[in-house]
mmCIF file with all atom_site columns, all heavy atoms in Angstrom:
data_model
loop_
_atom_site.group_PDB
_atom_site.id
_atom_site.type_symbol
_atom_site.label_atom_id
_atom_site.label_alt_id
_atom_site.label_comp_id
_atom_site.label_asym_id
_atom_site.label_entity_id
_atom_site.label_seq_id
_atom_site.pdbx_PDB_ins_code
_atom_site.Cartn_x
_atom_site.Cartn_y
_atom_site.Cartn_z
_atom_site.occupancy
_atom_site.B_iso_or_equiv
_atom_site.pdbx_formal_charge
_atom_site.auth_seq_id
_atom_site.auth_comp_id
_atom_site.auth_asym_id
_atom_site.auth_atom_id
_atom_site.pdbx_PDB_model_num
ATOM 1   N N   . SER A 1 23 ? -99.449  -21.764 -79.938 1.00 0.00 ? 52 SER A N   1
ATOM 2   C CA  . SER A 1 23 ? -98.874  -22.972 -80.510 1.00 0.00 ? 52 SER A CA  1
ATOM 3   C C   . SER A 1 23 ? -98.096  -22.656 -81.736 1.00 0.00 ? 52 SER A C   1
ATOM 4   O O   . SER A 1 23 ? -98.391  -21.527 -82.320 1.00 0.00 ? 52 SER A O   1
ATOM 5   C CB  . SER A 1 23 ? -99.966  -24.023 -80.763 1.00 0.00 ? 52 SER A CB  1
ATOM 6   O OG  . SER A 1 23 ? -100.762 -23.653 -81.836 1.00 0.00 ? 52 SER A OG  1
ATOM 7   N N   . ILE A 1 24 ? -97.244  -23.493 -82.116 1.00 0.00 ? 53 ILE A N   1
ATOM 8   C CA  . ILE A 1 24 ? -96.460  -23.295 -83.310 1.00 0.00 ? 53 ILE A CA  1
ATOM 9   C C   . ILE A 1 24 ? -96.511  -24.556 -84.176 1.00 0.00 ? 53 ILE A C   1
ATOM 10  O O   . ILE A 1 24 ? -96.480  -25.679 -83.639 1.00 0.00 ? 53 ILE A O   1
ATOM 11  C CB  . ILE A 1 24 ? -95.029  -22.892 -83.040 1.00 0.00 ? 53 ILE A CB  1
ATOM 12  C CG1 . ILE A 1 24 ? -94.320  -22.371 -84.301 1.00 0.00 ? 53 ILE A CG1 1
ATOM 13  C CG2 . ILE A 1 24 ? -94.231  -24.060 -82.393 1.00 0.00 ? 53 ILE A CG2 1
ATOM 14  C CD1 . ILE A 1 24 ? -92.985  -21.684 -84.056 1.00 0.00 ? 53 ILE A CD1 1
ATOM 15  N N   . ASP A 1 25 ? -96.776  -24.387 -85.450 1.00 0.00 ? 54 ASP A N   1
ATOM 16  C CA  . ASP A 1 25 ? -96.865  -25.556 -86.359 1.00 0.00 ? 54 ASP A CA  1
ATOM 17  C C   . ASP A 1 25 ? -95.432  -25.955 -86.526 1.00 0.00 ? 54 ASP A C   1
ATOM 18  O O   . ASP A 1 25 ? -94.550  -25.200 -86.913 1.00 0.00 ? 54 ASP A O   1
ATOM 19  C CB  . ASP A 1 25 ? -97.447  -25.038 -87.711 1.00 0.00 ? 54 ASP A CB  1
ATOM 20  C CG  . ASP A 1 25 ? -97.583  -26.282 -88.626 1.00 0.00 ? 54 ASP A CG  1
ATOM 21  O OD1 . ASP A 1 25 ? -96.558  -26.649 -89.280 1.00 0.00 ? 54 ASP A OD1 1
ATOM 22  O OD2 . ASP A 1 25 ? -98.650  -26.803 -88.777 1.00 0.00 ? 54 ASP A OD2 1
ATOM 23  N N   . PRO A 1 26 ? -95.106  -27.218 -86.257 1.00 0.00 ? 55 PRO A N   1
ATOM 24  C CA  . PRO A 1 26 ? -93.754  -27.696 -86.297 1.00 0.00 ? 55 PRO A CA  1
ATOM 25  C C   . PRO A 1 26 ? -93.115  -27.625 -87.703 1.00 0.00 ? 55 PRO A C   1
ATOM 26  O O   . PRO A 1 26 ? -91.834  -27.594 -87.858 1.00 0.00 ? 55 PRO A O   1
ATOM 27  C CB  . PRO A 1 26 ? -93.748  -29.085 -85.761 1.00 0.00 ? 55 PRO A CB  1
ATOM 28  C CG  . PRO A 1 26 ? -95.196  -29.521 -85.823 1.00 0.00 ? 55 PRO A CG  1
ATOM 29  C CD  . PRO A 1 26 ? -96.029  -28.309 -85.863 1.00 0.00 ? 55 PRO A CD  1
ATOM 30  N N   . VAL A 1 27 ? -93.962  -27.720 -88.767 1.00 0.00 ? 56 VAL A N   1
ATOM 31  C CA  . VAL A 1 27 ? -93.441  -27.739 -90.140 1.00 0.00 ? 56 VAL A CA  1
ATOM 32  C C   . VAL A 1 27 ? -93.306  -26.375 -90.781 1.00 0.00 ? 56 VAL A C   1
ATOM 33  O O   . VAL A 1 27 ? -92.270  -25.959 -91.279 1.00 0.00 ? 56 VAL A O   1
ATOM 34  C CB  . VAL A 1 27 ? -94.187  -28.632 -91.010 1.00 0.00 ? 56 VAL A CB  1
ATOM 35  C CG1 . VAL A 1 27 ? -93.726  -28.624 -92.438 1.00 0.00 ? 56 VAL A CG1 1
ATOM 36  C CG2 . VAL A 1 27 ? -94.150  -30.082 -90.451 1.00 0.00 ? 56 VAL A CG2 1
ATOM 37  N N   . SER A 1 28 ? -94.434  -25.556 -90.618 1.00 0.00 ? 57 SER A N   1
ATOM 38  C CA  . SER A 1 28 ? -94.438  -24.258 -91.236 1.00 0.00 ? 57 SER A CA  1
ATOM 39  C C   . SER A 1 28 ? -93.828  -23.157 -90.365 1.00 0.00 ? 57 SER A C   1
ATOM 40  O O   . SER A 1 28 ? -93.455  -22.074 -90.859 1.00 0.00 ? 57 SER A O   1
ATOM 41  C CB  . SER A 1 28 ? -95.862  -23.862 -91.635 1.00 0.00 ? 57 SER A CB  1
ATOM 42  O OG  . SER A 1 28 ? -96.630  -23.656 -90.434 1.00 0.00 ? 57 SER A OG  1
ATOM 43  N N   . GLY A 1 29 ? -93.866  -23.302 -89.027 1.00 0.00 ? 58 GLY A N   1
ATOM 44  C CA  . GLY A 1 29 ? -93.364  -22.300 -88.137 1.00 0.00 ? 58 GLY A CA  1
ATOM 45  C C   . GLY A 1 29 ? -94.370  -21.257 -87.835 1.00 0.00 ? 58 GLY A C   1
ATOM 46  O O   . GLY A 1 29 ? -94.150  -20.212 -87.208 1.00 0.00 ? 58 GLY A O   1
ATOM 47  N N   . ILE A 1 30 ? -95.645  -21.420 -88.263 1.00 0.00 ? 59 ILE A N   1
ATOM 48  C CA  . ILE A 1 30 ? -96.707  -20.489 -88.057 1.00 0.00 ? 59 ILE A CA  1
ATOM 49  C C   . ILE A 1 30 ? -97.065  -20.489 -86.577 1.00 0.00 ? 59 ILE A C   1
ATOM 50  O O   . ILE A 1 30 ? -97.514  -21.538 -86.060 1.00 0.00 ? 59 ILE A O   1
ATOM 51  C CB  . ILE A 1 30 ? -97.952  -20.718 -88.932 1.00 0.00 ? 59 ILE A CB  1
ATOM 52  C CG1 . ILE A 1 30 ? -97.468  -20.502 -90.491 1.00 0.00 ? 59 ILE A CG1 1
ATOM 53  C CG2 . ILE A 1 30 ? -99.138  -19.827 -88.568 1.00 0.00 ? 59 ILE A CG2 1
ATOM 54  C CD1 . ILE A 1 30 ? -98.566  -20.819 -91.409 1.00 0.00 ? 59 ILE A CD1 1
ATOM 55  N N   . LEU A 1 31 ? -97.025  -19.370 -85.959 1.00 0.00 ? 60 LEU A N   1
ATOM 56  C CA  . LEU A 1 31 ? -97.389  -19.168 -84.557 1.00 0.00 ? 60 LEU A CA  1
ATOM 57  C C   . LEU A 1 31 ? -98.876  -18.854 -84.534 1.00 0.00 ? 60 LEU A C   1
ATOM 58  O O   . LEU A 1 31 ? -99.311  -17.950 -85.240 1.00 0.00 ? 60 LEU A O   1
ATOM 59  C CB  . LEU A 1 31 ? -96.529  -18.042 -83.993 1.00 0.00 ? 60 LEU A CB  1
ATOM 60  C CG  . LEU A 1 31 ? -96.480  -17.898 -82.493 1.00 0.00 ? 60 LEU A CG  1
ATOM 61  C CD1 . LEU A 1 31 ? -95.936  -19.204 -81.849 1.00 0.00 ? 60 LEU A CD1 1
ATOM 62  C CD2 . LEU A 1 31 ? -95.612  -16.748 -82.170 1.00 0.00 ? 60 LEU A CD2 1
ATOM 63  N N   . SER A 1 32 ? -99.653  -19.536 -83.763 1.00 0.00 ? 61 SER A N   1
ATOM 64  C CA  . SER A 1 32 ? -101.145 -19.364 -83.657 1.00 0.00 ? 61 SER A CA  1
ATOM 65  C C   . SER A 1 32 ? -101.580 -19.088 -82.297 1.00 0.00 ? 61 SER A C   1
ATOM 66  O O   . SER A 1 32 ? -101.004 -19.661 -81.285 1.00 0.00 ? 61 SER A O   1
ATOM 67  C CB  . SER A 1 32 ? -101.836 -20.570 -84.223 1.00 0.00 ? 61 SER A CB  1
ATOM 68  O OG  . SER A 1 32 ? -101.466 -20.824 -85.523 1.00 0.00 ? 61 SER A OG  1
ATOM 69  N N   . LEU A 1 33 ? -102.616 -18.302 -82.114 1.00 0.00 ? 62 LEU A N   1
ATOM 70  C CA  . LEU A 1 33 ? -103.311 -18.105 -80.871 1.00 0.00 ? 62 LEU A CA  1
ATOM 71  C C   . LEU A 1 33 ? -104.213 -19.254 -80.599 1.00 0.00 ? 62 LEU A C   1
ATOM 72  O O   . LEU A 1 33 ? -104.975 -19.676 -81.448 1.00 0.00 ? 62 LEU A O   1
ATOM 73  C CB  . LEU A 1 33 ? -104.004 -16.818 -80.926 1.00 0.00 ? 62 LEU A CB  1
ATOM 74  C CG  . LEU A 1 33 ? -104.541 -16.160 -79.627 1.00 0.00 ? 62 LEU A CG  1
ATOM 75  C CD1 . LEU A 1 33 ? -103.461 -15.853 -78.712 1.00 0.00 ? 62 LEU A CD1 1
ATOM 76  C CD2 . LEU A 1 33 ? -105.233 -14.827 -80.020 1.00 0.00 ? 62 LEU A CD2 1
ATOM 77  N N   . GLN A 1 34 ? -104.202 -19.798 -79.335 1.00 0.00 ? 63 GLN A N   1
ATOM 78  C CA  . GLN A 1 34 ? -105.038 -20.882 -78.985 1.00 0.00 ? 63 GLN A CA  1
ATOM 79  C C   . GLN A 1 34 ? -106.196 -20.543 -78.108 1.00 0.00 ? 63 GLN A C   1
ATOM 80  O O   . GLN A 1 34 ? -107.069 -21.331 -77.889 1.00 0.00 ? 63 GLN A O   1
ATOM 81  C CB  . GLN A 1 34 ? -104.148 -21.938 -78.240 1.00 0.00 ? 63 GLN A CB  1
ATOM 82  C CG  . GLN A 1 34 ? -103.084 -22.556 -79.136 1.00 0.00 ? 63 GLN A CG  1
ATOM 83  C CD  . GLN A 1 34 ? -103.643 -23.227 -80.320 1.00 0.00 ? 63 GLN A CD  1
ATOM 84  O OE1 . GLN A 1 34 ? -104.441 -24.227 -80.191 1.00 0.00 ? 63 GLN A OE1 1
ATOM 85  N NE2 . GLN A 1 34 ? -103.314 -22.667 -81.520 1.00 0.00 ? 63 GLN A NE2 1
ATOM 86  N N   . GLN A 1 35 ? -106.210 -19.322 -77.546 1.00 0.00 ? 64 GLN A N   1
ATOM 87  C CA  . GLN A 1 35 ? -107.295 -18.823 -76.746 1.00 0.00 ? 64 GLN A CA  1
ATOM 88  C C   . GLN A 1 35 ? -107.233 -17.289 -76.780 1.00 0.00 ? 64 GLN A C   1
ATOM 89  O O   . GLN A 1 35 ? -106.340 -16.778 -77.136 1.00 0.00 ? 64 GLN A O   1
ATOM 90  C CB  . GLN A 1 35 ? -107.322 -19.374 -75.375 1.00 0.00 ? 64 GLN A CB  1
ATOM 91  C CG  . GLN A 1 35 ? -106.036 -19.043 -74.554 1.00 0.00 ? 64 GLN A CG  1
ATOM 92  C CD  . GLN A 1 35 ? -106.013 -19.683 -73.144 1.00 0.00 ? 64 GLN A CD  1
ATOM 93  O OE1 . GLN A 1 35 ? -106.856 -19.375 -72.378 1.00 0.00 ? 64 GLN A OE1 1
ATOM 94  N NE2 . GLN A 1 35 ? -105.038 -20.494 -72.895 1.00 0.00 ? 64 GLN A NE2 1
ATOM 95  N N   . THR A 1 36 ? -108.349 -16.752 -76.364 1.00 0.00 ? 65 THR A N   1
ATOM 96  C CA  . THR A 1 36 ? -108.445 -15.282 -76.409 1.00 0.00 ? 65 THR A CA  1
ATOM 97  C C   . THR A 1 36 ? -107.521 -14.687 -75.300 1.00 0.00 ? 65 THR A C   1
ATOM 98  O O   . THR A 1 36 ? -107.328 -15.284 -74.273 1.00 0.00 ? 65 THR A O   1
ATOM 99  C CB  . THR A 1 36 ? -109.865 -14.742 -76.185 1.00 0.00 ? 65 THR A CB  1
ATOM 100 O OG1 . THR A 1 36 ? -110.350 -15.205 -74.937 1.00 0.00 ? 65 THR A OG1 1
ATOM 101 C CG2 . THR A 1 36 ? -110.722 -15.169 -77.298 1.00 0.00 ? 65 THR A CG2 1
ATOM 102 N N   . VAL A 1 37 ? -107.019 -13.573 -75.613 1.00 0.00 ? 66 VAL A N   1
ATOM 103 C CA  . VAL A 1 37 ? -106.239 -12.763 -74.646 1.00 0.00 ? 66 VAL A CA  1
ATOM 104 C C   . VAL A 1 37 ? -106.796 -11.411 -74.563 1.00 0.00 ? 66 VAL A C   1
ATOM 105 O O   . VAL A 1 37 ? -107.437 -10.889 -75.489 1.00 0.00 ? 66 VAL A O   1
ATOM 106 C CB  . VAL A 1 37 ? -104.752 -12.691 -75.099 1.00 0.00 ? 66 VAL A CB  1
ATOM 107 C CG1 . VAL A 1 37 ? -104.010 -14.046 -75.099 1.00 0.00 ? 66 VAL A CG1 1
ATOM 108 C CG2 . VAL A 1 37 ? -104.568 -11.999 -76.463 1.00 0.00 ? 66 VAL A CG2 1
#
Side-chain angles (χ1 to χ4, degrees):
S52 68
I53 194 165
D54 183 281
V56 177
S57 69
I59 294 173
L60 197 58
S61 300
L62 194 58
Q63 296 300 300
Q64 59 181 300
T65 59
V66 293

